[in-house]
Amino acid sequence: MNDTPGLSTRCVHAGEIDDAHGSPFTPIYHTTTFRFASTADLLDVVEGRKAGSLYTRYGLNPTIASLESKLAALEGAEAAWAFCSGMAAESALFLAHGREGIVCLGEAYGGTLELLADQLPQLGIQTHFVPGQELGQLEALLRQGVKLVFFETPTNPTIDLYDIAAISALAHRHGARVAIDNTFASPVNQQPLGLGADFVVHSCTKFLGGHSDLTAGALMGSRELLAPVCNWRKNLGSTIAPEIAALLARSIRTLPIRVRQQNATALAIAEAMARHPKIRRVLYPGLPDFPGHELAKKQMSGYGGMLTIEVAGSGADATRVADRLKLFALAPSLGGVESLATQPCTTTHHGLSAAERARRGISDAMLRLSIGLEDADDLIADLEQALV
Ligand SMILES: *Cc1c(COP(=O)(O)O)cnc(C)c1O
């Protein structure tokens, strides 16, 4: 095998540990605790001199450790921690590394925005929000000493892209760290650590899990930067369960083949919708006239399974289209094998006023599509019958 096997090989084999019975994949260690031959052996693990299993909430369980090796390999990271949700991963990251201030650039997931705007300030953590195009504001905050820059790229639902390499270089000049929520792109399409970011966070509930049947999160980065996060996870009690860890590892083994198909189908749908007379706009990084296309070519290796279409009409017209869809399920979330449609103004961005949505470039006539593994022709036919 090569020194660094390809991503698909890593997805199948990284982290897998053989047991005494020759199982091809890591079994589920369905236990909370592990016994030791002697007190000396126990102390070696407790005091960190030896790797070993100890207590499942600490993450010291072979099934969890195996998943974490796989997660690290996916993002080319030294280390990874697995959590019981994407929000758990973000919370632990912010608590461990955000106490000197956090700046969130551009749009972010609703839960992330709530955590940053409402909860963390209650603990005295200063959080700041910088609109996507205001990099000057970002620099001013960095000069004031803010030490953690967080952003998503591409974002939801406007599919804005941010230059990971350029923003990481700017942050590093000011001694700050950069964390990317890579949920939308997945490690198949984008590798932020290789572009200069310090942390990658995932909602594994989405593409990594891929089947809408598990909730989990992950944080990847250097061993040194991840070390303090582990104690937050341990004592917040937000470790992944071994059963979910095994289910997630099972899913990751097919991640590249799923995501590459989702990329191809999403592009076919984006192209068909771009030609459709009842569609005003298609937001998809793979379309040559999309504003983020050049940046996508630079920092992504695939354009992703997420796109947003804007119906030529009002919010009510878009609702009628959404309600007429048959194959696309009307549901939030994303990244599964089944295609989903949501209207941001009735779901993810329902809590904002119409004026606030408009300020953020979110039209009520937008529908966000998460493309699954159905045949592209069937998905296009479903959209066409709904757009009559
Ligand atoms: C879903 C999501 C999250 C939150 O993840 P959970 O697993 O639901 O906690 C965070 N960021 C993005 C971009 C998401 O889509």
Side-chain angles (χ1 to χ4, degrees):
M1 208 150 70
N2 299 332
D3 284 352
T4 311
L7 184 67
S8 296
T9 306
R10 278 178 274 154
C11 281
V12 176
H13 293 289
E16 299 297 345
I17 50 169
D18 198 356
D19 71 348
H21 305 284
S23 158
F25 299 118
T26 309
I28 302 177
Y29 284 84
H30 194 92
T31 50
T32 56
T33 189
F34 297 85
R35 67 185 151 76
F36 291 85
S38 70
T39 302
D41 284 353
L42 182 146
L43 287 175
D44 277 345
V45 173
V46 170
E47 292 171 6
R49 282 184 296 277
K50 247 174 65 186
S53 298
L54 176 65
Y55 189 62
T56 290
R57 176 170 50 79
Y58 296 4
L60 298 178
N61 169 301
T63 310
I64 298 173
S66 162
L67 169 72
E68 289 176 339
S69 300
K70 195 184 284 295
L71 289 167
L74 284 189
E75 290 283 4
E78 266 178 22
W81 303 135
F83 292 82
C84 62
S85 71
M87 287 313 302
E90 287 186 28
S91 313
L93 167 68
F94 292 152
L95 289 166
H97 285 286
R99 274 162 298 164
E100 291 164 279
I102 304 168
V103 53
C104 173
L105 182 67
E107 275 301 321
Y109 177 73
T112 307
L113 291 177
E114 224 175 276
L115 178 67
L116 289 170
D118 301 339
Q119 270 98 48
L120 293 179
Q122 293 177 33
L123 304 177
I125 295 176
Q126 291 201 348
T127 57
H128 311 268
F129 300 89
V130 167
Q133 305 318 318
E134 307 283 341
L135 287 185
Q137 279 186 37
L138 174 63
E139 190 155 15
L141 287 164
L142 290 168
R143 246 185 252 115
Q144 287 167 31
V146 172
K147 287 286 181 268
L148 185 63
V149 178
F150 173 89
F151 60 97
E152 298 181 13
T153 178
T155 62
N156 172 43
T158 46
I159 320 286
D160 296 325
L161 272 72
Y162 297 106
D163 191 326
I164 297 171
I167 295 166
S168 298
L170 171 69
H172 292 162
R173 279 200 294 280
H174 294 273
R177 309 280 187 200
V178 174
I180 309 288
D181 182 336
N182 204 27
T183 301
F184 255 50
S186 94
V188 180
N189 291 327
Q190 185 167 271
Q191 299 260 307
L193 298 178
L195 295 164
D198 302 284
F199 301 99
V200 169
V201 58
H202 276 282
S203 169
C204 306
T205 312
K206 315 295 166 53
F207 285 98
L208 271 60
H211 298 72
S212 304
D213 59 0
L214 66 86
T215 301
L219 178 69
M220 293 85 158
S222 71
R223 227 170 256 121
E224 185 192 345
L225 288 177
L226 254 53
V229 185
C230 194
N231 279 340
W232 281 101
R233 178 184 69 167
K234 181 176 103 179
N235 295 326
L236 290 169
S238 53
T239 309
I240 195 169
E243 297 76 8
I244 304 296
L247 192 58
L248 178 54
R250 188 282 318 260
S251 293
I252 290 172
R253 292 181 201 119
T254 58
L255 177 72
I257 196 167
R258 282 188 280 111
V259 169
R260 285 180 193 132
Q261 185 60 49
Q262 286 164 309
N263 288 345
T265 307
L267 180 61
I269 293 172
E271 286 169 347
M273 289 298 102
R275 290 189 298 266
H276 199 286
K278 295 234 166 118
I279 294 293
R280 187 180 295 134
R281 246 184 348 148
V282 179
L283 310 179
Y284 186 66
L287 294 176
D289 59 351
F290 183 70
H293 182 63
E294 288 308 313
L295 180 56
K297 279 205 298 200
K298 198 175 86 172
Q299 71 181 16
M300 300 179 80
S301 49
Y303 299 120
M306 301 300 300
L307 69 142
T308 295
I309 56 176
E310 189 177 335
V311 172
S314 64
D317 293 324
T319 302
R320 272 190 289 279
V321 173
D323 287 343
R324 274 198 293 262
L325 289 168
K326 293 178 179 142
L327 190 51
F328 280 89
L330 193 58
S333 198
L334 58 116
V337 297
E338 74 295 357
S339 294
L340 304 176
T342 56
Q343 188 178 8
C345 74
T346 65
T347 51
T348 50
H349 295 76
H350 189 54
L352 301 178
S353 68
E356 181 58 23
R357 282 196 294 271
R359 197 182 65 75
R360 293 172 181 225
I362 302 164
S363 148
D364 288 1
M366 282 179 174
L367 295 176
R368 185 194 80 183
L369 306 178
S370 169
I371 304 306
L373 293 180
E374 303 91 339
D375 291 294
D377 288 349
D378 293 333
L379 293 169
I380 292 168
D382 191 34
L383 287 163
E384 282 174 346
Q385 65 80 27
L387 281 163
V388 290

